[in-house]
Amino acid sequence: MHGGAARIVDCEFEQLRADAGGALFVRAGDVAVSRAVFRGNSATVGGAVAAIGVDGVAARPSFDNCSFEANVAQESGGAVYTHDSGSFDVRGCSFV
């Protein structure tokens, strides 16, 4: 996602691969994720999720009742990686 806002509810992201954010890459925008499962995803940074601000516009992800299971990153952020992000909210999530 680049800019803007999105809401993701009741989704499963499994066995996905990317350079940044194996399942979800937020670049300068707001995303609210609820009741999602991130399982077995991989990336260079942010095995499951990468949130990166751009040109002074912050990435502001929020996660509510999500499960992060067996996600891996080659460099940073096995489950979640942030850089130049604004607020980052995590509520009721599990990291296994």
Side-chain angles (χ1 to χ4, degrees):
M1 184 185 109
H2 180 78
R7 181 164 171 76
I8 299 169
V9 180
D10 294 326
C11 291
E12 289 189 24
F13 301 92
E14 189 167 0
Q15 301 289 324
L16 302 169
R17 168 80 181 108
D19 290 330
L24 178 62
F25 179 42
V26 181
R27 182 179 166 155
D30 299 331
V31 64
V33 183
S34 299
R35 300 184 309 271
V37 176
F38 296 86
R39 182 181 302 117
N41 302 292
S42 62
T44 303
V45 295
V49 177
I52 299 173
V54 177
D55 296 331
V57 179
R60 290 178 299 273
S62 66
F63 300 92
D64 185 33
N65 293 312
C66 295
S67 176
F68 295 85
E69 304 169 12
N71 299 288
V72 296
Q74 293 173 349
E75 294 179 11
S76 299
V80 179
Y81 172 82
T82 65
H83 180 74
D84 289 338
S85 63
S87 62
F88 184 87
D89 296 321
V90 177
R91 294 185 187 111
C93 295
S94 62
F95 293 83
V96 182

